[in-house]
Amino acid sequence: MTERLALFGARPAFDPPLRFVRPPVPPLDEVVARLRPGYETGALTNGPLVRELEEGVAHRLGVRHVIATASCTTGLMLVFRALGELAPAGEIPGEVLMPSFTFSASAHAVAWCGRRPRFAECDERTFQLDLRDARRRAAGGGVGAVLATHVFGAPCDPPGVESLAADLAVPVVFDAAHGLGATHRARPLGGFGTAEVFSLTPTKPLVAGEGGLVTTGDDELATLVRIGRDYANPGDYDTQFVGLNGRMSEFHAAVALASFATLDAHLEERRAIAGEYERAMCTIPGVALQHVDSSDRSTYKDLTIAVDPDEYGLTRDQLVTVLHAEGVDTRNYFDPPVHRQRAHRIPEPLPVTERVASRVVSLPIYPALPPRTAERIAAIVESARRDAGRIHTFLGGDGQVSTVGPDGEMSPAVANPQV
Ligand SMILES: *Cc1c(COP(=O)(O)O)cnc(C)c1O
């Protein structure tokens, strides 16, 4: 009972094609209404709307300090810079123990602050930092901080990461870019570790256009990050350290505030869609959704599956070609993993991370999806599994479409480059 696949010339399941993301933009009128009063007085950056956003988020997450920044990357850079300032004089800051299975910006921020990442493996089911492997890699000494990412909006066992950092007697920073609104055992992300940093860029659950939020319970760190985003000028132009212009503008805060008002409703919809994917995909051999602990709530910033090629019968790349032909846009988050990227390449392999990276693919998840999208995508994934033999012949081993198929038919993915 296989449906005919678009790869073999059938009409694509999604026509027009399904976009990978649709940012949850708030109504423009609302944004303008929030912006107008300050705008007319010339308050354009780091003003009352930014304060309102910081206070609103601090209240919601139950954290002492929230500092809005121009982006999450900037926020991470400011945190690592501030941690360097807080270290005892003469102390060498040391490497940052962190996963390679994260977005490049986590490592970029570390490197911009003159620190080196020390990459550790991720867990095969959760895709989160593998704490046992991280502990092993820290054993040689020389680690000055730990960074862990809440991958795809699911908490990364924050207490486990905290206890690793405590044993090493170093600060711990969470890259919470995906995580605004997620909880670990009913505790919101934002309150863990030395600091956490959220992103408000359009692909994330709360959007500002661009923006970041640093959360911390540490008064000294908060002061340094706050000064740091303003060139590290404490107010008298006698700059205290090498800062940045890392401020958030009032325009961005207006968008973020309007978006914040609907965050819970938005997250509920994402979780409902994730549930649909789970139900529709759980019976497909060789395909597994990211494992999220039952006591945690993810934001599902991404809905990511891992494809085991032996069990499923096709590689991730072959499945992606099938999906693209059906009009389903996808992303291979995070492939290549950071340690395989030119900016951060290391000679040693990280076999688990590389295996995971070669198997993952993120599927569309946002409230504006057409009805039954998850079910329809799962049906394609299942059809492709049943047709694996034919797809193999058609695509060749590398998952790339050969120009001409076995029966001499032209692949639509080649004939029609936008799919
Ligand atoms: C998006 C992202 C960032 C960067 O956020 P910006 O706001 O774009 O700087 C950092 N880390 C992770 C894990 C991300 O996904």
Side-chain angles (χ1 to χ4, degrees):
M1 277 235 314
T2 36
E3 292 173 44
R4 208 167 138 72
L5 292 166
L7 190 71
F8 302 130
R11 213 169 150 257
F14 295 90
D15 187 12
L18 207 55
R19 285 165 54 168
F20 179 66
V21 276
R22 279 285 287 273
V25 287
L28 187 59
D29 295 352
E30 241 177 77
V31 175
V32 172
R34 284 177 194 270
L35 187 62
R36 192 181 305 278
Y39 182 85
E40 284 169 351
T41 69
L44 301 185
T45 192
N46 202 17
L49 294 177
V50 171
R51 292 294 90 70
E52 190 183 335
L53 177 66
E54 290 175 337
E55 283 161 20
V57 172
H59 180 75
R60 182 192 161 115
L61 302 184
V63 294
R64 223 165 133 76
H65 304 283
V66 175
I67 305 112
T69 53
S71 68
C72 171
T73 311
T74 314
L76 288 166
M77 288 164 64
L78 288 168
V79 166
F80 280 102
R81 174 64 68 166
L83 289 174
E85 293 298 311
L86 288 172
E91 185 179 288
I92 300 160
E95 296 183 355
V96 177
L97 183 63
M98 59 179 291
S100 168
F101 194 76
T102 179
F103 187 60
S104 54
S106 325
H108 287 351
V110 165
W112 268 96
C113 292
R115 312 199 38 183
R116 271 167 46 109
R118 184 183 297 181
F119 294 115
E121 294 278 26
C122 66
D123 180 89
E124 201 125 21
R125 287 198 326 143
T126 64
F127 314 146
Q128 310 284 1
L129 178 65
D130 177 337
L131 289 171
R132 289 179 59 182
D133 182 74
R135 200 173 280 277
R136 240 186 338 264
R137 287 168 196 270
V143 169
V146 175
L147 178 149
T149 300
H150 302 297
V151 175
F152 305 139
C156 64
D157 184 11
V161 177
E162 285 175 334
S163 95
L164 166 65
D167 292 347
L168 299 171
V170 298
V172 52
V173 178
F174 290 100
D175 181 335
H178 304 173
L180 194 64
T183 56
H184 171 69
R185 309 201 166 175
R187 264 181 73 190
L189 299 189
F192 292 96
T194 313
E196 303 209 47
V197 189
F198 299 94
S199 171
L200 311 184
T201 203
T203 56
K204 312 295 157 92
L206 178 71
V207 299
E210 294 293 352
L213 295 167
V214 176
T215 60
T216 181
D218 181 320
D219 297 347
E220 269 186 300
L221 183 72
T223 302
L224 292 180
V225 171
R226 204 166 273 128
I227 298 171
R229 76 173 165 190
D230 221 2
Y231 322 102
N233 167 20
D236 58 3
Y237 295 92
D238 181 9
T239 56
Q240 207 171 316
F241 56 94
V242 179
L244 279 173
N245 175 353
R247 297 183 296 259
M248 179 183 283
S249 81
E250 290 288 279
F251 298 84
H252 294 97
V255 178
L257 280 166
S259 170
F260 190 47
T262 61
L263 179 65
D264 284 315
H266 175 68
L267 292 178
E268 277 319 306
E269 292 191 67
R270 297 183 83 86
R271 288 174 183 139
I273 299 166
E276 289 168 22
Y277 271 112
E278 177 73 55
R279 284 189 293 282
M281 296 228 171
C282 63
T283 53
I284 307 177
V287 171
L289 265 71
Q290 176 189 21
H291 178 77
V292 178
D293 194 284
S294 60
S295 57
D296 290 352
R297 302 197 83 198
S298 176
T299 62
Y300 294 99
K301 184 268 175 192
D302 290 300
L303 188 293
T304 304
I305 60 171
V307 178
D308 175 344
D310 298 327
E311 214 186 325
Y312 178 63
L314 293 168
T315 64
R316 183 273 315 271
D317 289 341
Q318 289 172 323
L319 174 61
V320 164
T321 304
V322 168
L323 289 169
H324 287 186
E326 299 290 350
V328 180
D329 195 11
T330 61
R331 294 288 181 281
N332 295 342
Y333 291 148
F334 300 111
D335 185 26
V338 181
H339 79 284
R340 303 300 305 159
Q341 297 173 18
R342 270 176 296 164
H344 298 282
R345 189 165 288 167
I346 54 166
E348 306 80 33
L350 288 172
V352 179
T353 299
E354 283 161 35
R355 184 162 61 240
V356 169
S358 73
R359 292 178 172 193
V360 283
V361 54
S362 303
L363 304 171
I365 180 165
Y366 46 86
L369 282 179
R372 300 185 44 245
T373 294
E375 227 177 286
R376 292 165 65 200
I377 291 179
I380 298 167
V381 175
E382 176 59 26
S383 294
R385 187 181 74 83
R386 291 170 190 233
D387 244 354
R390 208 162 150 230
I391 294 169
H392 261 292
T393 320
F394 192 63
L395 295 181
D398 58 0
Q400 300 307 308
V401 183
S402 60
T403 344
V404 179
D407 343 312
E409 49 187 336
M410 180 77 135
S411 155
V414 172
N416 185 2
Q418 80 260 24
V419 295

